[in-house]
Amino acid sequence: MSGWFRRLKKQTLKKLIMIDTGYHSHHLSTTLLERGGFSILAFIDEEPWNHLNLMNGAKIHYPSELLALAEKSRADAVIKLTGKGWQPASDCVSELQKKGIAYITLDVAIAPDEQLNIIVERLSAER
């Protein structure tokens, strides 16, 4: 196996779905993408005018699509920042966890670098 292929195979991207399309979600997703090692699969937002638009290269989907998207794309985690906006029901969170998909909530008052550290720690502990 050639060297470049082995290096590519070792660096697997953590696949994330972000809930919300507000400033904090956009800023965190940009930070994750700039750091590397993460892929944003989708954003979840309940506003109809956002549906299927792109944000940081990922499509925006309705909340009703969350479980199917997470399972189909084999997401590693769903990220939710505290505050206003759609919140998944407890049975949705339970289903995510049954499928081995981490559900990570982050306080918007925490600096993006610290949010990033929390995500890295949680995903390292999950696998």
Side-chain angles (χ1 to χ4, degrees):
M1 195 181 294
S2 66
W4 68 269
F5 186 71
R6 261 184 270 136
R7 283 192 306 272
L8 180 66
K9 193 172 181 177
K10 284 182 185 176
Q11 183 189 12
T12 56
L13 295 175
K14 295 293 184 182
K15 298 179 281 185
L16 308 175
I17 295 174
M18 305 276 305
I19 295 177
D20 197 34
T21 57
Y23 170 79
H24 296 289
S25 294
H26 183 269
H27 188 65
L28 177 59
S29 66
T30 301
T31 301
L32 289 163
L33 293 172
E34 287 172 353
R35 179 195 185 270
F38 295 97
S39 171
I40 307 298
L41 300 172
F43 287 88
I44 303 296
D45 189 66
E46 58 192 343
E47 303 298 345
W49 49 81
N50 287 336
H51 190 245
L52 297 181
N53 284 319
L54 293 177
M55 188 163 111
N56 277 342
K59 285 185 180 177
I60 302 169
H61 293 271
Y62 288 127
S64 61
E65 299 173 274
L66 175 60
L67 281 174
L69 279 169
E71 186 173 16
K72 181 180 178 184
S73 60
R74 298 181 184 191
D76 293 297
V78 173
I79 309 293
K80 168 72 172 128
L81 293 164
T82 59
K84 297 178 183 176
W86 180 76
Q87 178 75 32
S90 59
D91 59 331
C92 178
V93 174
S94 295
E95 278 300 310
L96 289 170
Q97 292 169 339
K98 284 179 191 174
K99 296 176 186 312
I101 301 166
Y103 179 71
I104 303 171
T105 57
L106 300 167
D107 191 337
V108 294
I110 298 173
D113 289 341
E114 184 58 31
Q115 291 172 343
L116 178 66
N117 290 337
I118 292 169
I119 293 168
V120 169
E121 285 176 19
R122 280 285 309 275
L123 292 178
S124 296
E126 297 284 326
R127 304 283 173 204

